[in-house]
PDB file of all heavy atoms in Angstrom:
ATOM      1  N   MET A   1      39.210 -17.781 -18.293  1.00 91.00           N
ATOM      2  CA  MET A   1      39.152 -17.483 -16.869  1.00 91.00           C
ATOM      3  C   MET A   1      39.389 -15.993 -16.667  1.00 91.00           C
ATOM      4  O   MET A   1      40.317 -15.422 -17.236  1.00 91.00           O
ATOM      5  CB  MET A   1      40.222 -18.290 -16.142  1.00 91.00           C
ATOM      6  CG  MET A   1      40.340 -17.955 -14.675  1.00 91.00           C
ATOM      7  SD  MET A   1      39.216 -18.832 -13.608  1.00 91.00           S
ATOM      8  CE  MET A   1      39.782 -20.493 -13.827  1.00 91.00           C
ATOM      9  N   ALA A   2      38.568 -15.382 -15.873  1.00 97.00           N
ATOM     10  CA  ALA A   2      38.731 -13.971 -15.521  1.00 97.00           C
ATOM     11  C   ALA A   2      38.611 -13.854 -14.013  1.00 97.00           C
ATOM     12  O   ALA A   2      37.869 -14.609 -13.381  1.00 97.00           O
ATOM     13  CB  ALA A   2      37.688 -13.110 -16.213  1.00 97.00           C
ATOM     14  N   THR A   3      39.344 -12.917 -13.450  1.00 98.00           N
ATOM     15  CA  THR A   3      39.332 -12.728 -12.010  1.00 98.00           C
ATOM     16  C   THR A   3      38.776 -11.349 -11.662  1.00 98.00           C
ATOM     17  O   THR A   3      38.729 -10.447 -12.496  1.00 98.00           O
ATOM     18  CB  THR A   3      40.751 -12.856 -11.424  1.00 98.00           C
ATOM     19  OG1 THR A   3      41.586 -11.865 -12.029  1.00 98.00           O
ATOM     20  CG2 THR A   3      41.319 -14.237 -11.686  1.00 98.00           C
ATOM     21  N   GLY A   4      38.381 -11.214 -10.399  1.00 98.00           N
ATOM     22  CA  GLY A   4      37.888  -9.928  -9.926  1.00 98.00           C
ATOM     23  C   GLY A   4      37.793  -9.929  -8.418  1.00 98.00           C
ATOM     24  O   GLY A   4      38.085 -10.920  -7.750  1.00 98.00           O
ATOM     25  N   ARG A   5      37.355  -8.776  -7.891  1.00 98.00           N
ATOM     26  CA  ARG A   5      37.255  -8.647  -6.440  1.00 98.00           C
ATOM     27  C   ARG A   5      36.423  -7.421  -6.103  1.00 98.00           C
ATOM     28  O   ARG A   5      36.155  -6.566  -6.938  1.00 98.00           O
ATOM     29  CB  ARG A   5      38.629  -8.523  -5.810  1.00 98.00           C
ATOM     30  CG  ARG A   5      39.371  -7.255  -6.218  1.00 98.00           C
ATOM     31  CD  ARG A   5      40.750  -7.210  -5.575  1.00 98.00           C
ATOM     32  NE  ARG A   5      41.437  -5.982  -5.863  1.00 98.00           N
ATOM     33  CZ  ARG A   5      41.342  -4.852  -5.172  1.00 98.00           C
ATOM     34  NH1 ARG A   5      40.546  -4.772  -4.127  1.00 98.00           N
ATOM     35  NH2 ARG A   5      42.028  -3.786  -5.506  1.00 98.00           N
ATOM     36  N   PHE A  13      36.876 -13.427  -6.870  1.00 98.00           N
ATOM     37  CA  PHE A  13      36.220 -14.457  -7.674  1.00 98.00           C
ATOM     38  C   PHE A  13      37.038 -14.812  -8.908  1.00 98.00           C
ATOM     39  O   PHE A  13      37.869 -14.038  -9.372  1.00 98.00           O
ATOM     40  CB  PHE A  13      34.797 -14.037  -8.066  1.00 98.00           C
ATOM     41  CG  PHE A  13      34.713 -12.838  -8.959  1.00 98.00           C
ATOM     42  CD1 PHE A  13      34.783 -12.958 -10.335  1.00 98.00           C
ATOM     43  CD2 PHE A  13      34.521 -11.575  -8.425  1.00 98.00           C
ATOM     44  CE1 PHE A  13      34.687 -11.847 -11.165  1.00 98.00           C
ATOM     45  CE2 PHE A  13      34.420 -10.455  -9.228  1.00 98.00           C
ATOM     46  CZ  PHE A  13      34.497 -10.599 -10.611  1.00 98.00           C
ATOM     47  N   VAL A  18      33.229 -16.212 -19.584  1.00 97.00           N
ATOM     48  CA  VAL A  18      32.829 -14.809 -19.444  1.00 97.00           C
ATOM     49  C   VAL A  18      32.509 -14.231 -20.819  1.00 97.00           C
ATOM     50  O   VAL A  18      33.325 -14.291 -21.733  1.00 97.00           O
ATOM     51  CB  VAL A  18      33.956 -13.985 -18.778  1.00 97.00           C
ATOM     52  CG1 VAL A  18      33.553 -12.532 -18.658  1.00 97.00           C
ATOM     53  CG2 VAL A  18      34.316 -14.566 -17.430  1.00 97.00           C
ATOM     54  N   GLU A  19      31.317 -13.690 -20.963  1.00 95.00           N
ATOM     55  CA  GLU A  19      30.917 -13.034 -22.210  1.00 95.00           C
ATOM     56  C   GLU A  19      31.698 -11.737 -22.370  1.00 95.00           C
ATOM     57  O   GLU A  19      31.721 -10.922 -21.447  1.00 95.00           O
ATOM     58  CB  GLU A  19      29.418 -12.715 -22.194  1.00 95.00           C
ATOM     59  CG  GLU A  19      28.530 -13.884 -22.455  1.00 95.00           C
ATOM     60  CD  GLU A  19      28.556 -14.333 -23.905  1.00 95.00           C
ATOM     61  OE1 GLU A  19      28.689 -13.491 -24.814  1.00 95.00           O
ATOM     62  OE2 GLU A  19      28.465 -15.556 -24.115  1.00 95.00           O
ATOM     63  N   ALA A  20      32.315 -11.544 -23.522  1.00 95.00           N
ATOM     64  CA  ALA A  20      33.056 -10.310 -23.775  1.00 95.00           C
ATOM     65  C   ALA A  20      32.117  -9.170 -24.139  1.00 95.00           C
ATOM     66  O   ALA A  20      32.432  -7.999 -23.918  1.00 95.00           O
ATOM     67  CB  ALA A  20      34.086 -10.516 -24.876  1.00 95.00           C
ATOM     68  N   ILE A  22      29.017  -7.000 -23.462  1.00 95.00           N
ATOM     69  CA  ILE A  22      28.242  -6.646 -22.276  1.00 95.00           C
ATOM     70  C   ILE A  22      27.046  -5.778 -22.642  1.00 95.00           C
ATOM     71  O   ILE A  22      27.010  -5.173 -23.717  1.00 95.00           O
ATOM     72  CB  ILE A  22      29.113  -5.930 -21.223  1.00 95.00           C
ATOM     73  CG1 ILE A  22      29.668  -4.622 -21.787  1.00 95.00           C
ATOM     74  CG2 ILE A  22      30.223  -6.844 -20.753  1.00 95.00           C
ATOM     75  CD1 ILE A  22      30.351  -3.742 -20.770  1.00 95.00           C
ATOM     76  N   ALA A  41      28.335  -8.572 -17.378  1.00 95.00           N
ATOM     77  CA  ALA A  41      28.711  -9.662 -18.269  1.00 95.00           C
ATOM     78  C   ALA A  41      28.199 -10.969 -17.698  1.00 95.00           C
ATOM     79  O   ALA A  41      28.393 -11.257 -16.512  1.00 95.00           O
ATOM     80  CB  ALA A  41      30.229  -9.715 -18.415  1.00 95.00           C
ATOM     81  N   TRP A  87      28.963  -7.668 -12.389  1.00 96.00           N
ATOM     82  CA  TRP A  87      29.165  -6.258 -12.704  1.00 96.00           C
ATOM     83  C   TRP A  87      30.579  -6.084 -13.260  1.00 96.00           C
ATOM     84  O   TRP A  87      31.564  -6.562 -12.681  1.00 96.00           O
ATOM     85  CB  TRP A  87      28.974  -5.385 -11.480  1.00 96.00           C
ATOM     86  CG  TRP A  87      27.607  -5.412 -10.854  1.00 96.00           C
ATOM     87  CD1 TRP A  87      27.350  -5.448  -9.523  1.00 96.00           C
ATOM     88  CD2 TRP A  87      26.328  -5.389 -11.488  1.00 96.00           C
ATOM     89  NE1 TRP A  87      25.993  -5.454  -9.304  1.00 96.00           N
ATOM     90  CE2 TRP A  87      25.339  -5.422 -10.499  1.00 96.00           C
ATOM     91  CE3 TRP A  87      25.916  -5.367 -12.822  1.00 96.00           C
ATOM     92  CZ2 TRP A  87      23.968  -5.420 -10.778  1.00 96.00           C
ATOM     93  CZ3 TRP A  87      24.559  -5.367 -13.107  1.00 96.00           C
ATOM     94  CH2 TRP A  87      23.605  -5.387 -12.096  1.00 96.00           C
ATOM     95  N   VAL A  88      30.679  -5.417 -14.374  1.00 96.00           N
ATOM     96  CA  VAL A  88      31.955  -5.260 -15.077  1.00 96.00           C
ATOM     97  C   VAL A  88      33.008  -4.581 -14.205  1.00 96.00           C
ATOM     98  O   VAL A  88      34.179  -4.931 -14.243  1.00 96.00           O
ATOM     99  CB  VAL A  88      31.736  -4.486 -16.402  1.00 96.00           C
ATOM    100  CG1 VAL A  88      33.048  -4.125 -17.047  1.00 96.00           C
ATOM    101  CG2 VAL A  88      30.889  -5.324 -17.351  1.00 96.00           C
ATOM    102  N   GLY A  89      32.607  -3.645 -13.372  1.00 95.00           N
ATOM    103  CA  GLY A  89      33.548  -2.936 -12.517  1.00 95.00           C
ATOM    104  C   GLY A  89      34.242  -3.811 -11.495  1.00 95.00           C
ATOM    105  O   GLY A  89      35.271  -3.430 -10.948  1.00 95.00           O
ATOM    106  N   ALA A  90      33.725  -5.000 -11.236  1.00 97.00           N
ATOM    107  CA  ALA A  90      34.346  -5.906 -10.265  1.00 97.00           C
ATOM    108  C   ALA A  90      35.480  -6.732 -10.874  1.00 97.00           C
ATOM    109  O   ALA A  90      36.278  -7.306 -10.154  1.00 97.00           O
ATOM    110  CB  ALA A  90      33.295  -6.838  -9.670  1.00 97.00           C
ATOM    111  N   PHE A  91      35.568  -6.786 -12.203  1.00 97.00           N
ATOM    112  CA  PHE A  91      36.627  -7.561 -12.859  1.00 97.00           C
ATOM    113  C   PHE A  91      37.957  -6.826 -12.780  1.00 97.00           C
ATOM    114  O   PHE A  91      38.013  -5.596 -12.825  1.00 97.00           O
ATOM    115  CB  PHE A  91      36.280  -7.814 -14.326  1.00 97.00           C
ATOM    116  CG  PHE A  91      35.254  -8.898 -14.522  1.00 97.00           C
ATOM    117  CD1 PHE A  91      33.915  -8.586 -14.631  1.00 97.00           C
ATOM    118  CD2 PHE A  91      35.636 -10.234 -14.612  1.00 97.00           C
ATOM    119  CE1 PHE A  91      32.964  -9.575 -14.819  1.00 97.00           C
ATOM    120  CE2 PHE A  91      34.691 -11.225 -14.799  1.00 97.00           C
ATOM    121  CZ  PHE A  91      33.351 -10.900 -14.898  1.00 97.00           C
ATOM    122  N   ASP A  92      39.042  -7.605 -12.705  1.00 97.00           N
ATOM    123  CA  ASP A  92      40.391  -7.028 -12.683  1.00 97.00           C
ATOM    124  C   ASP A  92      40.767  -6.411 -14.030  1.00 97.00           C
ATOM    125  O   ASP A  92      41.471  -5.408 -14.065  1.00 97.00           O
ATOM    126  CB  ASP A  92      41.423  -8.094 -12.297  1.00 97.00           C
ATOM    127  CG  ASP A  92      41.272  -8.535 -10.851  1.00 97.00           C
ATOM    128  OD1 ASP A  92      40.871  -7.708 -10.009  1.00 97.00           O
ATOM    129  OD2 ASP A  92      41.556  -9.712 -10.568  1.00 97.00           O
ATOM    130  N   GLU A  93      40.323  -7.011 -15.112  1.00 93.00           N
ATOM    131  CA  GLU A  93      40.667  -6.544 -16.461  1.00 93.00           C
ATOM    132  C   GLU A  93      39.409  -6.098 -17.195  1.00 93.00           C
ATOM    133  O   GLU A  93      38.718  -6.912 -17.809  1.00 93.00           O
ATOM    134  CB  GLU A  93      41.374  -7.654 -17.255  1.00 93.00           C
ATOM    135  CG  GLU A  93      42.668  -8.119 -16.641  1.00 93.00           C
ATOM    136  CD  GLU A  93      43.745  -7.049 -16.666  1.00 93.00           C
ATOM    137  OE1 GLU A  93      43.761  -6.225 -17.609  1.00 93.00           O
ATOM    138  OE2 GLU A  93      44.572  -7.029 -15.729  1.00 93.00           O
ATOM    139  N   ALA A  94      39.110  -4.823 -17.183  1.00 86.00           N
ATOM    140  CA  ALA A  94      37.903  -4.312 -17.835  1.00 86.00           C
ATOM    141  C   ALA A  94      38.080  -4.161 -19.343  1.00 86.00           C
ATOM    142  O   ALA A  94      37.103  -4.016 -20.068  1.00 86.00           O
ATOM    143  CB  ALA A  94      37.502  -2.977 -17.222  1.00 86.00           C
ATOM    144  N   GLU A  95      39.317  -4.191 -19.819  1.00 90.00           N
ATOM    145  CA  GLU A  95      39.585  -4.006 -21.247  1.00 90.00           C
ATOM    146  C   GLU A  95      39.030  -5.130 -22.108  1.00 90.00           C
ATOM    147  O   GLU A  95      38.905  -4.978 -23.314  1.00 90.00           O
ATOM    148  CB  GLU A  95      41.093  -3.868 -21.490  1.00 90.00           C
ATOM    149  CG  GLU A  95      41.700  -2.642 -20.853  1.00 90.00           C
ATOM    150  CD  GLU A  95      41.120  -1.338 -21.407  1.00 90.00           C
ATOM    151  OE1 GLU A  95      40.910  -1.241 -22.638  1.00 90.00           O
ATOM    152  OE2 GLU A  95      40.873  -0.419 -20.616  1.00 90.00           O
ATOM    153  N   GLN A  96      38.700  -6.266 -21.513  1.00 89.00           N
ATOM    154  CA  GLN A  96      38.204  -7.408 -22.276  1.00 89.00           C
ATOM    155  C   GLN A  96      36.764  -7.228 -22.749  1.00 89.00           C
ATOM    156  O   GLN A  96      36.285  -7.991 -23.570  1.00 89.00           O
ATOM    157  CB  GLN A  96      38.311  -8.679 -21.433  1.00 89.00           C
ATOM    158  CG  GLN A  96      37.411  -8.682 -20.205  1.00 89.00           C
ATOM    159  CD  GLN A  96      37.596  -9.891 -19.340  1.00 89.00           C
ATOM    160  OE1 GLN A  96      37.734 -11.001 -19.851  1.00 89.00           O
ATOM    161  NE2 GLN A  96      37.617  -9.708 -18.035  1.00 89.00           N
ATOM    162  N   PHE A  97      36.080  -6.211 -22.251  1.00 95.00           N
ATOM    163  CA  PHE A  97      34.656  -6.052 -22.538  1.00 95.00           C
ATOM    164  C   PHE A  97      34.378  -5.015 -23.613  1.00 95.00           C
ATOM    165  O   PHE A  97      35.106  -4.035 -23.751  1.00 95.00           O
ATOM    166  CB  PHE A  97      33.912  -5.672 -21.254  1.00 95.00           C
ATOM    167  CG  PHE A  97      34.058  -6.695 -20.171  1.00 95.00           C
ATOM    168  CD1 PHE A  97      34.812  -6.423 -19.041  1.00 95.00           C
ATOM    169  CD2 PHE A  97      33.455  -7.934 -20.281  1.00 95.00           C
ATOM    170  CE1 PHE A  97      34.963  -7.367 -18.036  1.00 95.00           C
ATOM    171  CE2 PHE A  97      33.594  -8.886 -19.286  1.00 95.00           C
ATOM    172  CZ  PHE A  97      34.351  -8.597 -18.161  1.00 95.00           C
ATOM    173  N   GLN A  98      33.267  -5.263 -24.326  1.00 95.00           N
ATOM    174  CA  GLN A  98      32.809  -4.327 -25.360  1.00 95.00           C
ATOM    175  C   GLN A  98      31.300  -4.161 -25.207  1.00 95.00           C
ATOM    176  O   GLN A  98      30.561  -5.154 -25.102  1.00 95.00           O
ATOM    177  CB  GLN A  98      33.128  -4.883 -26.745  1.00 95.00           C
ATOM    178  CG  GLN A  98      32.598  -4.023 -27.862  1.00 95.00           C
ATOM    179  CD  GLN A  98      32.905  -4.633 -29.218  1.00 95.00           C
ATOM    180  OE1 GLN A  98      33.706  -5.545 -29.352  1.00 95.00           O
ATOM    181  NE2 GLN A  98      32.255  -4.114 -30.232  1.00 95.00           N
TER     182      GLN A  98
END
Side-chain angles (χ1 to χ4, degrees):
M1 174 85 65
T3 60
R5 65 181 184 87
F13 64 87
V18 179
E19 283 287 326
I22 62 171
W87 298 138
V88 171
F91 283 94
D92 292 328
E93 299 293 328
E95 296 298 319
Q96 66 184 319
F97 301 110
Q98 176 182 346

